[in-house]
């Protein structure tokens, strides 16, 4: 039986989504309906950061599969730690919506000063040394200057996986959701609202779920390069494989090849897809060689990959003016976001393999053994 909270949460999605038309629960069909049903069963609600992808059902499924199999499934890393890392990655990507969601869930699971320190970006005040190092690592995971991974290779599928998932979600949320899921109130009222939300989110996150339950939403796929970090846990490896292949296939059908090649080249050879702002003259220069009709899509894709918080209404409107509909916008940005996240995962796994043989990592809390 559907809970009152679940039914009420269905009304939240339309008010949170910008630029595209969300698919209401009552209108969901086919793959979208399957994802919504699983989300309500395993997550307790239709989460706007996932539901924003619904205009492109395959991209929606890929996003849900990643979130479920990495964050929700019980494993070697507890849910609270993964929520703290998710909030930290969101801090690094300047995604206030995801910071509020995941620091509030962390607060609901553990309570106390550590959750508030994560939310306020006061990493040095976190008392637990392992948590402090993990939060710092997540906070800096998208940049060029990254700390050594403070975890073992056995934990990599969940911790690198959490970072990869939220480097994707942060980019999409920055573009398509409002600034915060919490009401626009301040002071003690905001604190009370946050505590109430923490109680709800903590209860929803406390149950856990079994591995592999979402994999049938996407077809099997051959593993591409860049997913070595996932190899230690079969359900995570399969989720990453299927999600990446599905999004790549969708993009191949609707995103111009020249745009995909440009973004792919820049991710491989340019600066890491971190939180720093994109220089507008650089953006104009790197897109200058494209046909006029492809430049708006290229600009949106590059900003999505490198600095999603810089996407403005005007950037989206330029794509609309070229005839892109909701499905094409979500496919374009979803592909760019996941491509950037995949590049982050490759770099983080490289750090881990280097750390495994480097003496400098030996004294890290929880460091590679």
């Amino acid at each position: 039986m559907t809970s009152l909270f679940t039914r009420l949460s269905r009304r939240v999605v339309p008010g949170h989504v910008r630029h595209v038309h969300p698919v209401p629960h009552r209108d969901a069909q086919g793959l979208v309906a399957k994802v919504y049903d699983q989300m309500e069963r395993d997550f307790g609600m239709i989460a706007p950061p996932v539901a924003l992808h619904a205009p492109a059902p395959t991209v929606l499924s890929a996003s849900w599969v990643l979130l479920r199999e990495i964050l929700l499934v019980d494993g070697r890393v507890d849910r609270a730690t993964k929520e703290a890392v998710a909030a930290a990655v969101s801090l690094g990507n300047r995604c206030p919506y995801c910071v509020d969601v995941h620091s509030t869930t962390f607060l609901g699971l553990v309570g106390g000063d550590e959750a508030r320190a994560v939310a306020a970006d006061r990493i040095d005040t976190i008392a637990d040394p392992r948590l402090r190092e993990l939060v710092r690592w997540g906070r800096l995971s998208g940049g060029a200057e990254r700390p050594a991974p403070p975890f073992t290779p056995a934990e990599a599928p969940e911790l690198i996986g959490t970072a990869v998932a939220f480097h994707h979600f942060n980019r999409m949320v920055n573009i398509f959701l409002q600034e915060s899921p919490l009401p626009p109130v301040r002071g003690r009222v905001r604190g009370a609202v946050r505590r109430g939300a923490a109680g709800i989110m903590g209860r929803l996150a406390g149950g856990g779920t079994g591995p592999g339950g979402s994999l049938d939403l996407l077809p099997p796929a051959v593993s591409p390069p860049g997913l070595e970090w996932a190899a230690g846990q079969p359900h995570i490896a399969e989720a990453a494989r299927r999600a990446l292949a599905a999004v790549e296939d969708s993009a191949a059908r609707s995103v111009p090849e020249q745009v995909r090649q440009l973004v792919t080249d820049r991710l491989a050879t340019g600066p890491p897809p971190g939180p720093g702002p994109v220089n507008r003259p650089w953006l104009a220069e790197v897109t200058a060689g494209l046909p006029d009709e492809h430049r708006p899509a290229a600009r949106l894709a590059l900003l999505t990959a490198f600095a999603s918080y810089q996407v403005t209404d005007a950037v989206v409107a330029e794509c609309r003016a070229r005839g892109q509909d909701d499905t094409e916008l979500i496919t374009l940005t979803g592909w760019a976001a996941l491509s950037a996240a995949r590049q982050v995962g490759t770099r983080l796994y490289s750090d881990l393999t280097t750390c495994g043989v480097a003496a400098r990592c030996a004294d890290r809390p929880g460091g590679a053994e």
Side-chain angles (χ1 to χ4, degrees), residues 116-132:
R116 285 185 282 272
V118 173
D121 201 10
R122 297 195 306 266
I123 297 173
D124 290 340
T125 67
I126 298 173
D128 182 271
R130 171 170 163 80
L131 181 64
R132 184 172 62 246

Side-chain angles (χ1 to χ4, degrees), residues 88-151:
V89 172
S90 304
L91 284 167
N93 285 324
R94 306 186 191 185
C95 182
Y97 190 106
C98 291
V99 171
D100 278 348
V101 169
H102 296 284
S103 65
T104 299
T105 304
F106 183 51
L107 177 64
L109 288 169
V110 303
D113 294 336
E114 290 181 336
R116 285 185 282 272
V118 173
D121 201 10
R122 297 195 306 266
I123 297 173
D124 290 340
T125 67
I126 298 173
D128 182 271
R130 171 170 163 80
L131 181 64
R132 184 172 62 246
E133 292 301 312
L134 282 169
V135 170
R136 180 177 290 111
W137 171 83
R139 175 74 166 78
L140 299 173
S141 60
E145 299 296 327
R146 301 179 298 276
F151 49 83

Side-chain angles (χ1 to χ4, degrees), residues 1-366:
M1 184 175 179
T2 304
S3 70
L4 176 61
F5 172 77
T6 299
R7 292 196 300 273
L8 290 174
S9 69
R10 294 172 183 173
R11 303 178 185 177
V12 169
V13 175
H16 285 214
V17 179
R18 306 181 301 152
H19 299 310
V20 296
H21 298 89
V23 178
H25 179 272
R26 65 180 180 275
D27 297 333
Q29 299 178 5
L31 196 53
V32 175
K34 290 180 181 179
V35 172
Y36 280 6
D37 288 347
Q38 275 201 13
M39 215 185 320
E40 288 191 337
R41 183 194 69 205
D42 295 341
F43 196 65
M45 62 180 292
I46 296 176
V50 183
L52 72 85
H53 299 82
T58 298
V59 184
L60 168 72
S61 299
S63 302
W64 165 244
V65 167
L66 283 176
L67 183 73
R68 183 195 186 278
E69 301 303 327
I70 293 170
L71 184 70
L72 274 60
V73 171
D74 293 329
R76 294 183 175 92
V77 181
D78 63 88
R79 175 71 179 272
T81 299
K82 288 187 280 189
E83 291 288 347
V85 170
V89 172
S90 304
L91 284 167
N93 285 324
R94 306 186 191 185
C95 182
Y97 190 106
C98 291
V99 171
D100 278 348
V101 169
H102 296 284
S103 65
T104 299
T105 304
F106 183 51
L107 177 64
L109 288 169
V110 303
D113 294 336
E114 290 181 336
R116 285 185 282 272
V118 173
D121 201 10
R122 297 195 306 266
I123 297 173
D124 290 340
T125 67
I126 298 173
D128 182 271
R130 171 170 163 80
L131 181 64
R132 184 172 62 246
E133 292 301 312
L134 282 169
V135 170
R136 180 177 290 111
W137 171 83
R139 175 74 166 78
L140 299 173
S141 60
E145 299 296 327
R146 301 179 298 276
F151 49 83
T152 67
E155 296 169 310
E158 290 171 83
L159 290 172
I160 294 180
T162 298
V164 167
F166 283 92
H167 276 286
H168 167 81
F169 277 107
N170 294 161
R171 285 163 166 80
M172 297 299 286
V173 168
N174 273 339
I175 299 169
F176 293 106
L177 293 189
Q178 64 184 27
E179 186 171 311
S180 174
L182 300 177
V185 293
R186 300 295 175 190
R188 293 181 179 179
V189 175
R190 184 175 178 84
V193 170
R194 185 178 174 82
R195 288 191 295 275
I200 294 170
M201 297 303 291
R203 287 193 295 274
L204 292 177
T209 190
S214 67
L215 296 179
D216 286 345
L217 292 168
L218 297 171
V222 176
S223 185
L227 298 181
E228 289 81 5
W229 54 266
Q233 294 193 30
H235 67 284
I236 293 179
E238 191 64 23
R241 240 189 328 264
R242 295 187 185 206
L244 184 61
V247 172
E248 288 282 355
D249 184 60
S250 293
R253 293 195 300 270
S254 67
V255 180
E257 182 178 359
Q258 290 169 288
V259 173
R260 287 185 284 118
Q261 191 61 56
L262 174 63
V263 174
T264 299
D265 289 346
R266 289 295 166 177
L267 284 171
T269 62
V278 167
N279 182 283
R280 293 298 176 137
W282 174 85
L283 194 62
E285 178 185 346
V286 298
T287 58
L290 295 175
D292 289 348
E293 65 268 23
H294 294 339
R295 288 178 194 168
R299 284 191 286 268
L300 177 56
L302 286 165
L303 285 171
T304 300
F306 287 99
S308 58
Y309 60 90
Q310 288 184 255
V311 173
T312 63
D313 293 350
V315 172
V316 177
E318 287 179 346
C319 291
R320 288 288 195 191
R322 294 291 181 178
Q324 287 195 317
D325 61 15
D326 286 3
T327 300
E328 290 167 327
L329 281 174
I330 294 296
T331 302
L332 171 69
T333 52
W335 170 81
L338 191 56
S339 296
R342 177 186 178 186
Q343 190 70 252
V344 169
T346 298
R347 291 188 171 102
L348 295 177
Y349 183 72
S350 177
D351 292 347
L352 181 66
T353 56
T354 302
C355 185
V357 296
R360 68 183 177 87
C361 301
D363 59 354
R364 291 275 185 177

